[in-house]
Amino acid sequence: MKLEICIDSLESAKNAIEAGADRLEICGSLDLDGISPSLGLVSLISKYKDIEKFVMIRPRPYDFSYSDDEFETMKEEIKEFKKYDIDGFVFGILKEDGRVDLERTRELVELASPLRVCFHRAFDYSTDSEDLIKELIDMGIIRLLTSGKKAKAIDGIDLLRKLEEKYGEDIEIMAGSGVNPDNIEIFYKKAKIKSFHMSAKEKRPSQMDYLKNNPMYQDITYSSKAKIKEAKRAIKRIENLANI
C-alpha cells in the first residue's frame, strides 16, 4: 500500500519524508490545484534519496486543454526536470471536446522515458468512459490518479471499485481528492484501493502580522506531519488486518 503526498514547498516535502510517506508529487501552487514546480524546488527535493519523487507537468491552472505554446512548454519542462534525480512525471491533457488527447499524451510519455508516468485527474474531467484506461496502459502509463469522476473520491467509490477490479493488475489506481486518515479504510474495504493521494493540508498564520487587515493577507498552507503520520497508521492497520 502506498501513501503519496502532494507538496509545493521544501517544508512540506521534509514533513512528508519525516512522517513516512512513500511518494511525493512535487507541484507548484497547490491552492490552484497544482502546476509545474520551480526548478529550484525539484533540485532541492531530488537530493532526498529514500522516497519516490514524481513531478507535476502542468503549465497553468484551470482546464487541461493546452495551446501549442503550452504543449511546447510542457515538453521543455520534462527535458529540464529529467536532469534531476526523480522517478517520474504526472500530467494529463484533454482535447477541447473533453476527450483525452492520446496523441499528445503519448508524445509526452515517450519524451519522459525511461522515467515513469502517472495520468492525473484530467481523467475525472474528461468525457471518456473508463474504457480509455486501456489506451493509457498500452502507452506505458503506470498509475492513474482519480476521484472516480466525482468532486470527492469518497463519492466516486463505486467507479473506483470498478476500475480496480478491471484494471488494477495492469495500472495502479490511486484515489485522490478528499482522501484523509478517516476514510482510507473505507476505500480499501469498499473498493480494494491500495494507493492514496492527499495533501495533508494545514494552515498557520503568516509572520507578517502587519498585513492582517490587508486584503492580500493569507495564511501559510503546508503539509502536516501529524496528518501524514495518522494516514500512515491507518494504512498500517489495514495491512496488518489484511496481511498485505
Side-chain angles (χ1 to χ4, degrees):
M1 302 184 79
K2 296 283 187 179
L3 177 64
E4 175 179 283
I5 305 298
C6 53
I7 58 91
D8 61 2
S9 69
L10 184 58
E11 175 191 9
S12 291
K14 288 179 176 179
N15 285 348
I17 292 167
E18 291 172 11
D22 302 292
R23 183 167 56 232
L24 298 176
E25 180 190 84
I26 308 171
C27 306
S29 300
L30 282 177
D31 56 330
L32 298 174
D33 291 329
I35 59 173
S36 302
S38 70
L39 285 173
L41 182 61
V42 174
S43 174
L44 288 170
I45 295 176
S46 71
K47 294 177 171 59
Y48 291 87
K49 307 301 182 185
D50 296 329
I51 190 167
E52 280 189 279
K53 299 169 287 289
F54 276 67
V55 174
M56 170 73 78
I57 300 296
R58 190 181 180 203
R60 59 163 172 78
Y62 315 119
D63 65 46
F64 302 101
S65 178
Y66 301 116
S67 68
D68 290 342
D69 287 344
E70 289 168 334
F71 184 60
E72 289 302 312
T73 299
M74 296 172 81
K75 292 195 288 186
E76 286 301 309
E77 287 178 333
I78 288 175
K79 291 176 187 176
E80 288 302 311
F81 287 132
K82 281 180 74 175
K83 297 175 183 178
Y84 297 94
D85 185 10
I86 61 173
D87 298 282
F89 296 100
V90 181
F91 50 73
I93 305 179
L94 303 182
K95 295 182 177 182
E96 291 182 2
D97 62 4
R99 291 177 297 150
V100 171
D101 191 329
L102 293 171
E103 182 178 349
R104 279 179 159 186
T105 300
R106 186 175 291 105
E107 186 174 346
L108 294 187
V109 170
E110 291 173 354
L111 183 61
S113 180
L115 300 185
R116 296 167 293 165
V117 171
C118 169
F119 196 90
H120 63 44
R121 289 189 61 225
F123 168 77
D124 294 321
Y125 295 89
S126 75
T127 56
D128 290 292
S129 71
E130 61 267 20
D131 295 339
L132 175 277
I133 295 174
K134 179 66 166 57
E135 301 271 7
L136 301 182
I137 293 169
D138 288 346
M139 71 175 68
I141 290 174
I142 65 159
R143 183 162 53 252
L144 174 67
L145 170 61
T146 175
S147 61
K149 287 186 173 283
K150 299 291 186 181
K152 297 297 181 184
I154 199 69
D155 297 319
I157 199 163
D158 289 338
L159 180 56
L160 287 168
R161 181 180 63 250
K162 185 176 180 180
L163 298 182
E164 180 63 32
E165 289 174 351
K166 190 171 182 179
Y167 300 106
E169 293 294 320
D170 299 311
I171 190 170
E172 180 182 338
I173 304 298
M174 179 166 60
S177 185
V179 173
N180 60 64
D182 295 327
N183 60 24
I184 282 175
E185 188 172 354
I186 297 173
F187 286 109
Y188 178 73
K189 284 185 173 180
K190 293 192 175 182
K192 289 294 181 268
I193 295 297
K194 304 182 189 71
S195 187
F196 308 96
H197 171 98
M198 57 186 283
S199 65
K201 185 164 58 177
E202 193 67 81
K203 289 187 176 183
R204 66 166 179 270
S206 167
Q207 294 180 340
M208 301 179 74
D209 291 336
Y210 74 94
L211 286 176
K212 284 231 169 144
N213 296 318
N214 190 305
M216 72 175 290
Y217 177 87
Q218 289 189 29
D219 289 337
I220 305 300
T221 303
Y222 65 99
S223 295
S224 162
K225 193 184 300 185
K227 288 184 178 180
I228 298 167
K229 286 183 176 180
E230 190 177 350
K232 284 294 291 184
R233 285 194 293 269
I235 289 172
K236 191 66 177 175
R237 285 195 298 270
I238 297 168
E239 290 175 331
N240 289 339
L241 290 172
N243 292 319
I244 296 174

